[in-house]
Amino acid sequence: MTSIITHNDQELLKLIGERQNHQAFEVLYQRHFDAVFRYVFKVMQDRETAEDVVQNIFISLWKKPPSLNHPTLLPYLFGAARNQIAKEIRKNKWNKEQLDFIENTKGICSTDEYLEERDTRKLLESGIQKLPQKCRNVFKLSRFSYLSNKQISEKLGISVFTVENHIKKALYLLRQSIEFIVICLVSWY
């Protein structure tokens, strides 16, 4: 029997719907939580609220798994996220900028766009792994743990100025890395 991790999203949803399979749900959760959280956090700008919104989406998924016409669940999750964000914004009277963001992102989550984003994310992850260790640690705390420069400086015992320099260096090196790959790809064709 193949590992459940190798199942596509459609197969996992079927297992959840038929047998309330906890392992299948966990695989989906691990597979998609970060992408949905980043999307929600970008709009909400509040970690706790974003986590609540994403948790509600996954709770709904557990209670009533959708049926999909394609192998990935991500476009569905982004649509659910937009709906949950809009509900949260209406409930809490969020600002016009957040409402405009939701309005402008409708329909951007096609399967092709998802695959393109996934490929870009792989390039970025590869570039991050090539960063010097201290620079990489600071960058990850800033961009993936959403810590402020002050929080990072306190956590690592370095100055805020040093944190800022590591982030600038990381961004510079990542831009160079990605530009080099793009130039290679363009010259290949």
Side-chain angles (χ1 to χ4, degrees):
M1 184 171 151
T2 61
S3 171
I4 197 164
I5 295 171
T6 62
H7 287 42
N8 69 30
D9 293 354
Q10 276 180 323
E11 295 165 334
L12 294 170
L13 287 168
K14 189 174 180 183
L15 288 171
I16 294 168
E18 291 173 354
R19 301 184 201 130
Q20 294 225 312
N21 186 308
H22 290 276
Q23 188 180 11
F25 179 78
E26 181 67 25
V27 169
L28 280 177
Y29 185 85
Q30 294 297 324
R31 189 177 286 173
H32 298 301
F33 178 86
D34 288 341
V36 178
F37 175 79
R38 281 193 305 272
Y39 173 75
V40 174
F41 183 78
K42 187 174 183 178
V43 179
M44 306 305 283
Q45 296 297 308
D46 178 70
R47 185 178 188 79
E48 190 174 306
T49 304
E51 286 173 350
D52 289 345
V53 166
V54 177
Q55 291 297 337
N56 288 338
I57 292 166
F58 279 98
I59 288 169
S60 296
L61 181 77
W62 173 255
K63 289 179 180 177
K64 187 175 182 206
S67 56
L68 297 179
N69 295 329
H70 46 81
T72 181
L73 178 64
L74 208 49
Y76 170 85
L77 290 173
F78 283 138
R82 272 194 309 277
N83 293 338
Q84 287 288 329
I85 291 168
K87 205 182 290 184
E88 188 71 28
I89 288 171
R90 282 191 299 274
K91 183 174 87 177
N92 293 314
K93 307 282 191 256
W94 292 78
N95 66 39
K96 183 178 177 355
E97 185 179 300
Q98 290 166 318
L99 289 169
D100 289 343
F101 182 86
I102 294 296
E103 207 46 49
N104 292 330
T105 59
K106 283 185 178 175
I108 65 165
C109 299
S110 71
T111 301
D112 289 340
E113 288 168 326
Y114 163 71
L115 293 173
E116 186 177 309
E117 180 194 344
R118 186 184 66 187
D119 292 342
T120 304
R121 192 176 322 117
K122 284 180 183 175
L123 282 174
L124 182 60
E125 288 170 1
S126 172
I128 290 170
Q129 289 307 314
K130 292 175 185 170
L131 293 173
Q133 185 169 351
K134 288 181 183 178
C135 188
R136 180 175 58 237
N137 291 344
V138 169
F139 185 78
K140 284 182 170 182
L141 289 171
S142 171
R143 296 310 195 257
F144 301 128
S145 297
Y146 307 101
L147 298 180
S148 69
N149 291 355
K150 184 177 181 194
Q151 290 170 318
I152 295 169
S153 77
E154 291 169 358
K155 182 175 180 130
L156 299 179
I158 58 177
S159 73
V160 173
F161 180 74
T162 303
V163 170
E164 291 169 356
N165 283 337
H166 279 306
I167 293 171
K168 286 178 191 174
K169 182 178 182 178
L171 291 172
Y172 173 78
L173 292 172
L174 288 171
R175 270 190 219 104
Q176 278 190 326
S177 174
I178 291 172
E179 286 173 7
F180 175 75
I181 291 168
V182 169
I183 289 169
C184 288
L185 288 174
V186 169
S187 66
W188 178 263
Y189 293 103

